[in-house]
Amino acid sequence: MIDFIEVNNNSASAKIAFQGAHIFHYARKGEKPLLWLSEISDFEKGKAIRGGVPVCWPSFGMNNPDLPQHGFARTALFEHQSTKELDANTTEVILILKHSQETLSLWPYKFELELKVTVSDKLTIELTTTNLDDKTFKITQALHTYFSVSHISDAKIKGLDKKPYLDALTNEKLVQSEDIIFEKEVDRVYQEVEAEILLSDKDRTIHINNEGSSSVVVWNPWIEKAKRMSAMRDEAYNDFVCIESANAYEDFKLIDPRGTHTLKATIY
Ligand code: TA6
């Protein structure tokens, strides 16, 4: 079992694991959870939780081929810096990861990575990288958010129309036409994204607004890939869509010594 922080205020509830600063539950009072969590997720040291908001850092996917898929932060043990009740409806939690012998052996840079989560009638996630080294480093990253949907056939993503994207399944570069619906495996990295994204479902619409990011990843494994995914039931592809607030591929960030970059997602 891995330790986590439980937040409960007048607006919402949330759970954030110290491992990976991984938010694995968020629900507004009286509503169904916004985040999907696999019923057969691992909850043990060294294994990423399947669902919620995995933190992909300092590499998205295999953008840095010298690192594990999605980097090392999502299985690293963050330290709890603070939990503050800003008011009866708002709780702020800050978790920190700093370089260590282990991270330096994987990625030769000194850094501090802060995850600030604000839990209210919105879920705000701010991932801030600080370069503590004396040389510039490059990162790619994503808040790999799994959104719960009533059924994949009801899910529709609005706001990415006419945006260029890389189809990670075929390596083609294409342009989105109309809303995104799901009738097969979808694994796409959209670029030039600046407006609000809507995940419309049968009985609710989830809003996603990103700052410090112009790339968004959309993923659903569909039938065959779901069978191959760890800690995921075969039929789970019906229950979630990943919309990931990212700095992926050409949206990478170069961070100079003492420089910072914040990737922020506001979800409601
Ligand atoms: O963001 C989409 C993706 O890169 C998919 O290709 C799939 O691999 C997914 O992430 C999950 O990756 P994981 O390493 O968590 O199994």
Side-chain angles (χ1 to χ4, degrees), residues 205-222:
T205 294
I206 297 175
H207 300 245
I208 300 135
N209 288 274
N210 298 326
E211 293 168 57
S213 149
S214 58
S215 50
V216 167
V217 182
V218 174
W219 176 58
N220 181 279
W222 208 244

mmCIF file of all heavy atoms in Angstrom, residues 205-222:
data_model
loop_
_atom_site.group_PDB
_atom_site.id
_atom_site.type_symbol
_atom_site.label_atom_id
_atom_site.label_comp_id
_atom_site.label_asym_id
_atom_site.label_seq_id
_atom_site.Cartn_x
_atom_site.Cartn_y
_atom_site.Cartn_z
ATOM 1 N N THR A 205 -20.593 17.861 -18.807
ATOM 2 C CA THR A 205 -19.489 18.335 -19.659
ATOM 3 C C THR A 205 -18.345 18.733 -18.747
ATOM 4 O O THR A 205 -18.539 19.504 -17.795
ATOM 5 C CB THR A 205 -19.945 19.555 -20.492
ATOM 6 O OG1 THR A 205 -20.960 19.122 -21.419
ATOM 7 C CG2 THR A 205 -18.766 20.128 -21.293
ATOM 8 N N ILE A 206 -17.158 18.178 -19.004
ATOM 9 C CA ILE A 206 -15.974 18.516 -18.203
ATOM 10 C C ILE A 206 -15.146 19.528 -18.989
ATOM 11 O O ILE A 206 -14.942 19.379 -20.196
ATOM 12 C CB ILE A 206 -15.141 17.254 -17.908
ATOM 13 C CG1 ILE A 206 -15.961 16.252 -17.068
ATOM 14 C CG2 ILE A 206 -13.843 17.611 -17.178
ATOM 15 C CD1 ILE A 206 -15.266 14.914 -16.834
ATOM 16 N N HIS A 207 -14.739 20.598 -18.296
ATOM 17 C CA HIS A 207 -13.945 21.677 -18.910
ATOM 18 C C HIS A 207 -12.485 21.492 -18.532
ATOM 19 O O HIS A 207 -12.165 21.247 -17.368
ATOM 20 C CB HIS A 207 -14.423 23.040 -18.386
ATOM 21 C CG HIS A 207 -15.855 23.340 -18.668
ATOM 22 N ND1 HIS A 207 -16.256 24.365 -19.494
ATOM 23 C CD2 HIS A 207 -17.008 22.729 -18.246
ATOM 24 C CE1 HIS A 207 -17.583 24.378 -19.558
ATOM 25 N NE2 HIS A 207 -18.054 23.395 -18.810
ATOM 26 N N ILE A 208 -11.586 21.667 -19.525
ATOM 27 C CA ILE A 208 -10.140 21.574 -19.262
ATOM 28 C C ILE A 208 -9.475 22.810 -19.847
ATOM 29 O O ILE A 208 -9.600 23.087 -21.056
ATOM 30 C CB ILE A 208 -9.540 20.312 -19.920
ATOM 31 C CG1 ILE A 208 -10.221 19.037 -19.373
ATOM 32 C CG2 ILE A 208 -8.025 20.246 -19.685
ATOM 33 C CD1 ILE A 208 -10.579 18.049 -20.456
ATOM 34 N N ASN A 209 -8.831 23.587 -18.971
ATOM 35 C CA ASN A 209 -8.103 24.777 -19.423
ATOM 36 C C ASN A 209 -6.633 24.628 -19.026
ATOM 37 O O ASN A 209 -6.339 24.359 -17.857
ATOM 38 C CB ASN A 209 -8.689 26.036 -18.755
ATOM 39 C CG ASN A 209 -10.063 26.376 -19.346
ATOM 40 O OD1 ASN A 209 -10.168 27.058 -20.355
ATOM 41 N ND2 ASN A 209 -11.118 25.849 -18.753
ATOM 42 N N ASN A 210 -5.743 24.814 -19.998
ATOM 43 C CA ASN A 210 -4.309 24.625 -19.737
ATOM 44 C C ASN A 210 -3.563 25.942 -19.859
ATOM 45 O O ASN A 210 -3.913 26.788 -20.692
ATOM 46 C CB ASN A 210 -3.728 23.607 -20.732
ATOM 47 C CG ASN A 210 -4.387 22.235 -20.580
ATOM 48 O OD1 ASN A 210 -4.744 21.850 -19.475
ATOM 49 N ND2 ASN A 210 -4.564 21.531 -21.685
ATOM 50 N N GLU A 211 -2.519 26.081 -19.034
ATOM 51 C CA GLU A 211 -1.607 27.236 -19.162
ATOM 52 C C GLU A 211 -0.188 26.694 -19.140
ATOM 53 O O GLU A 211 0.084 25.655 -18.517
ATOM 54 C CB GLU A 211 -1.807 28.200 -17.972
ATOM 55 C CG GLU A 211 -3.170 28.896 -17.953
ATOM 56 C CD GLU A 211 -3.428 29.590 -16.612
ATOM 57 O OE1 GLU A 211 -2.608 30.444 -16.199
ATOM 58 O OE2 GLU A 211 -4.438 29.221 -15.958
ATOM 59 N N GLY A 212 0.714 27.360 -19.885
ATOM 60 C CA GLY A 212 2.107 26.889 -19.948
ATOM 61 C C GLY A 212 2.236 25.649 -20.807
ATOM 62 O O GLY A 212 3.198 24.883 -20.680
ATOM 63 N N SER A 213 1.219 25.452 -21.663
ATOM 64 C CA SER A 213 1.175 24.239 -22.491
ATOM 65 C C SER A 213 0.482 24.568 -23.800
ATOM 66 O O SER A 213 -0.525 25.291 -23.800
ATOM 67 C CB SER A 213 0.362 23.171 -21.734
ATOM 68 O OG SER A 213 -0.325 22.294 -22.625
ATOM 69 N N SER A 214 0.986 24.020 -24.909
ATOM 70 C CA SER A 214 0.238 24.183 -26.169
ATOM 71 C C SER A 214 0.045 22.821 -26.851
ATOM 72 O O SER A 214 -0.353 22.759 -28.021
ATOM 73 C CB SER A 214 0.983 25.140 -27.116
ATOM 74 O OG SER A 214 2.274 24.635 -27.368
ATOM 75 N N SER A 215 0.311 21.744 -26.091
ATOM 76 C CA SER A 215 0.061 20.405 -26.659
ATOM 77 C C SER A 215 -0.865 19.628 -25.728
ATOM 78 O O SER A 215 -0.820 19.787 -24.498
ATOM 79 C CB SER A 215 1.380 19.647 -26.855
ATOM 80 O OG SER A 215 2.161 19.688 -25.675
ATOM 81 N N VAL A 216 -1.698 18.807 -26.351
ATOM 82 C CA VAL A 216 -2.680 17.997 -25.598
ATOM 83 C C VAL A 216 -2.691 16.602 -26.223
ATOM 84 O O VAL A 216 -2.727 16.470 -27.451
ATOM 85 C CB VAL A 216 -4.089 18.632 -25.689
ATOM 86 C CG1 VAL A 216 -5.161 17.653 -25.210
ATOM 87 C CG2 VAL A 216 -4.149 19.915 -24.871
ATOM 88 N N VAL A 217 -2.644 15.588 -25.350
ATOM 89 C CA VAL A 217 -2.665 14.198 -25.825
ATOM 90 C C VAL A 217 -4.060 13.625 -25.565
ATOM 91 O O VAL A 217 -4.613 13.816 -24.481
ATOM 92 C CB VAL A 217 -1.604 13.349 -25.102
ATOM 93 C CG1 VAL A 217 -1.583 11.916 -25.637
ATOM 94 C CG2 VAL A 217 -0.224 13.995 -25.247
ATOM 95 N N VAL A 218 -4.602 12.954 -26.579
ATOM 96 C CA VAL A 218 -5.911 12.300 -26.438
ATOM 97 C C VAL A 218 -5.696 10.805 -26.651
ATOM 98 O O VAL A 218 -5.093 10.403 -27.661
ATOM 99 C CB VAL A 218 -6.919 12.847 -27.463
ATOM 100 C CG1 VAL A 218 -8.234 12.047 -27.410
ATOM 101 C CG2 VAL A 218 -7.199 14.333 -27.197
ATOM 102 N N TRP A 219 -6.156 9.997 -25.678
ATOM 103 C CA TRP A 219 -5.893 8.552 -25.775
ATOM 104 C C TRP A 219 -7.050 7.730 -25.250
ATOM 105 O O TRP A 219 -7.607 8.047 -24.184
ATOM 106 C CB TRP A 219 -4.629 8.180 -24.977
ATOM 107 C CG TRP A 219 -4.345 6.703 -24.961
ATOM 108 C CD1 TRP A 219 -4.143 5.892 -26.056
ATOM 109 C CD2 TRP A 219 -4.235 5.854 -23.806
ATOM 110 N NE1 TRP A 219 -3.937 4.594 -25.644
ATOM 111 C CE2 TRP A 219 -3.976 4.540 -24.272
ATOM 112 C CE3 TRP A 219 -4.311 6.062 -22.428
ATOM 113 C CZ2 TRP A 219 -3.811 3.465 -23.412
ATOM 114 C CZ3 TRP A 219 -4.148 4.980 -21.572
ATOM 115 C CH2 TRP A 219 -3.899 3.704 -22.059
ATOM 116 N N ASN A 220 -7.418 6.760 -26.033
ATOM 117 C CA ASN A 220 -8.264 5.670 -25.549
ATOM 118 C C ASN A 220 -7.711 4.389 -26.188
ATOM 119 O O ASN A 220 -7.518 4.329 -27.393
ATOM 120 C CB ASN A 220 -9.734 5.858 -25.936
ATOM 121 C CG ASN A 220 -10.581 4.702 -25.384
ATOM 122 O OD1 ASN A 220 -10.626 3.618 -25.973
ATOM 123 N ND2 ASN A 220 -11.207 4.909 -24.233
ATOM 124 N N PRO A 221 -7.440 3.345 -25.383
ATOM 125 C CA PRO A 221 -6.779 2.140 -25.896
ATOM 126 C C PRO A 221 -7.651 1.269 -26.797
ATOM 127 O O PRO A 221 -7.121 0.456 -27.576
ATOM 128 C CB PRO A 221 -6.383 1.375 -24.632
ATOM 129 C CG PRO A 221 -7.391 1.816 -23.618
ATOM 130 C CD PRO A 221 -7.706 3.237 -23.943
ATOM 131 N N TRP A 222 -8.977 1.445 -26.677
ATOM 132 C CA TRP A 222 -9.951 0.587 -27.356
ATOM 133 C C TRP A 222 -9.731 -0.887 -26.990
ATOM 134 O O TRP A 222 -9.026 -1.191 -26.012
ATOM 135 C CB TRP A 222 -9.916 0.847 -28.869
ATOM 136 C CG TRP A 222 -11.235 0.577 -29.526
ATOM 137 C CD1 TRP A 222 -11.498 -0.393 -30.463
ATOM 138 C CD2 TRP A 222 -12.490 1.236 -29.306
ATOM 139 N NE1 TRP A 222 -12.826 -0.358 -30.835
ATOM 140 C CE2 TRP A 222 -13.458 0.626 -30.142
ATOM 141 C CE3 TRP A 222 -12.892 2.292 -28.471
ATOM 142 C CZ2 TRP A 222 -14.789 1.029 -30.170
ATOM 143 C CZ3 TRP A 222 -14.201 2.703 -28.501
ATOM 144 C CH2 TRP A 222 -15.150 2.066 -29.355
#
